[in-house]
Amino acid sequence: MKRLLIVRRCEPIVRFSCCSVRYGECRRNHAASTGGYAIDGCREFIAEGEEGTSAAALKCAACGCHRSFHRRVQVYEVAWDYGSDTSSAE
């Protein structure tokens, strides 16, 4: 007599959501006009001015460059859901 064995796997449900965007080091080449390569060493974008003003938020307080010269980093949140059904069937 053959037996039928049913195996249930608990597949996780993975959800990705973009939480925030931050700006990293400055990648502006200051020596491009002379044919060289030189960066200023700014390690992180720091918004200039108050948070309410949009024009000041686009300039870096550390190096004076526009925000588009800084490396854009998207921070993702990963959620794993294995479900609440942990009982085994016989």
Side-chain angles (χ1 to χ4, degrees), residues 48-86:
E48 186 178 84
E50 294 185 20
E51 196 169 309
T53 60
S54 62
L58 297 177
K59 241 182 164 177
C60 181
C63 65
C65 296
H66 191 269
R67 187 176 70 184
S68 64
F69 286 110
H70 289 261
R71 184 174 57 91
R72 181 180 172 145
V73 180
Q74 289 184 335
V75 181
Y76 289 97
E77 182 179 295
V78 179
W80 297 83
D81 186 16
Y82 285 98
S84 60
D85 186 23
T86 57

Side-chain angles (χ1 to χ4, degrees), residues 13-19 75-80:
I13 299 170
V14 182
R15 281 180 252 125
F16 292 97
S17 61
C18 183
C19 293
V75 181
Y76 289 97
E77 182 179 295
V78 179
W80 297 83

Side-chain angles (χ1 to χ4, degrees), residues 38-53:
I39 55 174
D40 59 5
C42 179
R43 299 290 296 159
E44 186 177 355
F45 177 79
I46 302 168
E48 186 178 84
E50 294 185 20
E51 196 169 309
T53 60

